[in-house]
Amino acid sequence: MEINKINYEQFVMDYLEGNLDRDLLQKMELFLEENPSIKKELLDFNPIYLEADNTIIYDNKKELLQPLNNEKIIPLWNFKKIASIAASVLIIFLSIFIFINQNIEEKEI
């Protein structure tokens, strides 16, 4: 496939992430050499690597914890119970609906 000004955007992310195969990589680099304005634009998207500064230490870590302020927490087991009951009821109603429809179709035939 030929890379040109119409379709080069399809290859940009793969180029920046290093996912192009050798053939497409060579075509993309040739295209960028022939189009320096596009090459300059792509250089602005070079990845930024950040490293954590482990020398910074916060002395009052306990101050970072927020109190709950009597907020109501709904236990997950309660949700699971309600969801399983709702799913069971849904299955029962669907089974009844299908059974009734089959009986109606058999009577019509």
Side-chain angles (χ1 to χ4, degrees), residues 95-105:
S95 300
I96 292 170
F97 178 75
I98 291 171
F99 180 73
I100 290 172
N101 280 343
Q102 285 178 349
N103 285 342
I104 291 171
E105 288 177 4

Side-chain angles (χ1 to χ4, degrees), residues 5 8 30-45:
K5 288 187 178 184
Y8 80 95
L30 179 64
F31 172 77
L32 292 175
E33 291 300 322
E34 293 171 354
N35 299 284
S37 62
I38 295 174
K39 183 177 183 178
K40 182 182 179 302
E41 183 180 329
L42 288 183
L43 291 177
D44 293 337
F45 288 105

Side-chain angles (χ1 to χ4, degrees), residues 25-81:
L25 180 63
Q26 290 174 350
K27 289 179 181 180
M28 186 67 170
E29 288 175 347
L30 179 64
F31 172 77
L32 292 175
E33 291 300 322
E34 293 171 354
N35 299 284
S37 62
I38 295 174
K39 183 177 183 178
K40 182 182 179 302
E41 183 180 329
L42 288 183
L43 291 177
D44 293 337
F45 288 105
N46 277 341
I48 298 172
Y49 298 101
L50 301 176
E51 293 182 21
D53 186 0
N54 294 328
T55 60
I56 299 173
I57 298 173
Y58 186 70
D59 294 328
N60 299 319
K61 288 183 181 180
K62 292 188 180 188
E63 290 180 6
L64 297 174
L65 293 175
Q66 299 291 322
L68 289 177
N69 295 332
N70 297 326
E71 294 177 7
K72 185 176 181 182
I73 299 174
I74 300 172
L76 186 59
W77 64 268
N78 195 12
F79 173 75
K80 287 181 181 179
K81 187 176 181 181

